[in-house]
Amino acid sequence: MARFELKLPKMGESVAEATITNWLKEVGDTIEADEAVLEIATDKVDSEVPSEVSGVLVEKLFQKDDLVKVGQTIAIIEVSGGVAVDAPSEAAIIKDAAVEAVEKTVETAKEAAAAPQDFSGSDKFYSPLVKNIAKEEGISVAELEAIAGHGKDGRVTKDDILKYVESRKSMAKTPAVAPTPTPKTQDPAPAAQSAPVSVNGGDEIIEMDRMRKLISGYMVASVQTSAHVQSFIEVDVTNIVKWRDKVKTAFEKREGEKLTFTPIFMEAVAKALKDFPGMNISVDGDYIIKKKNINLGMAAALPNGNLIVPVIKNADQLNLVGMAKAVNDLGNRAKAGKLKPDDTQGGTYTVTNVGTFGSVFGTPIINQPQVGILALGAIRKVPAVIETPEGDFIGIRQKMFLSHSYDHRVVDGALGGSFVKKVADYLEAFDVNRDF
């Protein structure tokens, strides 16, 4: 019998680790080749890890909620027959364990050296990020130690402490019903750790799932980081509506893809970003990073109500057919939960279609570390003044609002307004005689 090491596969250039969310197989279970063994999650995407061989699962090296690095062995599968496997010698295992222990010690020492000294009296390990948040929010050592951690070995993560901070702020705004004296030596117990109780017995209390917690943290962090400003503009898209109605059947027949309005809007946004590269940037501390590629994020709602932003890479290099294929592919895989981690990485600007749900316009939150996000409102038939050489008259037109949120730290009103105006110009100048 040979032993095969199941390793965490590479999931994209920017993905270095993942969290185990669920084991689909238990020790002793038989596994077929290409059968999923466990489920993992990165910052935004959930996926499965299949087995490369057939055999029996004999050992799990990590448990649910453990953080695993790419390339690490996560399970051992016993394979019958003479199959060539990556079974290391005992000496190699001991050597790898020793190297890993040294690396972990060095990493811990580096983090401890960089961390503030305010919490040196605690026996627990906290990352520099968690300590900095605690220091900024005035969280004492006792409070920090009382927060239940959901990271590896029970460590307090960024999400844990942010959730506690929000809960503490909420409690501070709510007057106590029957306050009781607290000894001076005792720090207040964190409200986030007490189980929520229904006041009238009829309310349903549901804990947020992992993705919703991540989204919650991202949204709060973005509002706290960027100075959000909005510009709105109304656009006449009558020509686009007429053109799409005329060609959508032929488009689907020739290309095998449905033609929605989204790729048409994405095409205009990509062109405007080339005209205004100051919107295709990101912020890193006191530095502005000008992005070489135009990678458009496309906010998509998932069936469970959560949100995800797959990215169309090099969107400015795609024609309308290529854009439609990219939009449909990412949208379909998002709904089916088949996105890969790399599909959500590298975005430089984001577009969200709030009109899908009937909203006329919205004020979207910036997807950090980007500096802008465009919301597409619902297309509506409205009466409008039409100017002609013979005079003005009232007619029925197809119109929509574009809502542009941008980071006022680095984007002023002139740039933010000019950019969304350029998008509108491209849409209103759409050629009704163009081919697809």
Side-chain angles (χ1 to χ4, degrees):
M1 303 292 283
R3 293 163 69 87
F4 173 82
E5 289 188 350
L6 179 65
K7 300 178 183 293
L8 183 65
K10 186 176 181 180
M11 298 170 290
E13 295 181 1
S14 57
V15 181
E17 58 189 17
T19 301
I20 296 176
T21 56
N22 186 37
W23 281 94
L24 303 176
K25 295 292 183 178
E26 298 297 333
V27 173
D29 289 351
T30 300
I31 301 171
E32 300 295 331
D34 296 326
E35 185 177 7
V37 180
L38 69 157
E39 295 175 339
I40 58 173
T42 60
D43 282 353
K44 292 184 178 179
V45 179
D46 296 347
S47 57
E48 298 176 340
V49 177
S51 173
E52 301 173 36
V53 298
S54 297
V56 176
L57 180 63
V58 295
E59 187 177 359
K60 296 191 298 185
L61 302 181
F62 293 92
Q63 299 302 317
K64 181 180 177 180
D65 297 328
D66 283 351
L67 193 64
V68 185
K69 293 183 179 180
V70 170
Q72 275 191 298
T73 302
I74 48 183
I76 303 295
I77 299 174
E78 196 169 74
V79 185
S80 58
V83 180
V85 294
D86 299 328
S89 63
E90 184 176 353
I93 294 176
I94 295 174
K95 181 179 179 181
D96 289 343
V99 171
E100 184 178 350
V102 172
E103 290 177 345
K104 186 174 182 180
T105 301
V106 172
E107 181 180 351
T108 302
K110 287 181 179 179
E111 292 179 344
Q117 299 300 317
D118 298 10
F119 303 96
S120 58
S122 175
D123 294 330
K124 293 185 178 181
F125 172 80
Y126 301 102
S127 69
L129 176 60
V130 169
K131 290 183 178 181
N132 286 336
I133 294 174
K135 183 178 179 181
E136 291 175 2
E137 298 295 335
I139 297 174
S140 66
V141 177
E143 282 184 277
L144 193 58
E145 290 182 335
I147 298 175
H150 295 84
K152 186 176 181 181
D153 299 326
R155 290 180 183 175
V156 175
T157 65
K158 181 186 76 172
D159 290 335
D160 293 330
I161 193 168
L162 288 177
K163 182 178 179 181
Y164 171 69
V165 169
E166 288 302 307
S167 176
R168 192 172 70 158
K169 289 180 179 177
S170 298
M171 290 297 293
K173 295 178 182 178
T174 304
V177 177
T180 55
T182 303
K184 293 182 179 180
T185 56
Q186 179 182 346
D187 287 304
Q193 306 311 312
S194 59
V197 179
S198 173
V199 177
N200 58 17
D203 298 333
E204 183 181 5
I205 300 171
I206 303 172
E207 183 180 3
M208 290 188 289
D209 60 26
R210 183 192 62 83
M211 183 174 284
R212 177 48 57 184
K213 291 177 182 178
L214 287 171
I215 293 172
S216 175
Y218 293 149
M219 296 299 99
V220 172
S222 180
V223 172
Q224 292 177 340
T225 300
S226 296
H228 282 63
V229 177
Q230 283 81 29
S231 291
F232 306 94
I233 191 167
E234 191 174 25
V235 190
D236 189 331
V237 292
T238 305
N239 288 342
I240 292 176
V241 173
K242 289 181 177 179
W243 180 83
R244 176 180 172 272
D245 289 341
K246 181 178 67 175
V247 306
K248 63 181 181 181
T249 301
F251 185 93
E252 184 172 3
K253 184 176 180 180
R254 192 185 85 176
E255 302 297 335
E257 299 280 350
K258 290 185 178 297
L259 178 62
T260 64
F261 289 109
T262 301
I264 301 174
F265 297 143
M266 288 292 197
E267 181 185 55
V269 172
K271 289 180 179 178
L273 285 173
K274 292 190 73 172
D275 295 331
F276 293 94
M279 288 304 311
N280 198 53
I281 65 175
S282 65
V283 178
D284 184 4
D286 293 330
Y287 296 91
I288 296 174
I289 302 173
K290 294 183 177 180
K291 298 295 185 178
K292 178 182 179 182
N293 299 326
I294 295 177
N295 300 332
L296 290 183
M298 182 182 73
L302 299 176
N304 61 4
N306 287 326
L307 181 74
I308 198 165
V309 185
V311 177
I312 302 172
K313 306 293 175 60
N314 298 309
D316 59 312
Q317 299 178 21
L318 299 176
N319 60 17
L320 187 58
V321 173
M323 190 74 78
K325 289 180 180 292
V327 167
N328 292 342
D329 173 57
L330 291 173
N332 292 334
R333 287 196 287 125
K335 292 177 182 177
K338 299 297 183 182
L339 287 175
K340 299 177 182 178
D342 204 43
D343 291 329
T344 62
Q345 305 295 325
T348 61
Y349 187 87
T350 298
V351 178
T352 179
N353 191 350
V354 298
T356 301
F357 309 103
S359 296
V360 178
F361 56 80
T363 55
I365 296 175
I366 297 169
N367 187 13
Q368 297 295 327
Q370 298 168 24
V371 299
I373 180 171
L374 185 70
L376 309 173
I379 298 175
R380 303 169 300 135
K381 287 184 179 181
V382 297
V385 176
I386 301 174
E387 298 179 359
T388 69
E390 291 75 26
D392 299 342
F393 67 92
I394 301 295
I396 297 176
R397 306 294 289 177
Q398 301 272 6
K399 290 197 172 187
M400 64 182 293
F401 281 99
L402 302 180
S403 310
H404 186 208
S405 293
Y406 47 96
D407 189 344
H408 212 350
R409 295 179 303 165
V410 292
V411 180
D412 293 326
L415 174 57
S418 297
F419 169 78
V420 70
K421 178 63 167 59
K422 177 59 72 171
V423 176
D425 290 343
Y426 278 126
L427 294 177
E428 292 190 339
F430 189 85
D431 183 6
V432 293
N433 298 315
R434 69 177 286 183
D435 190 14
F436 51 80

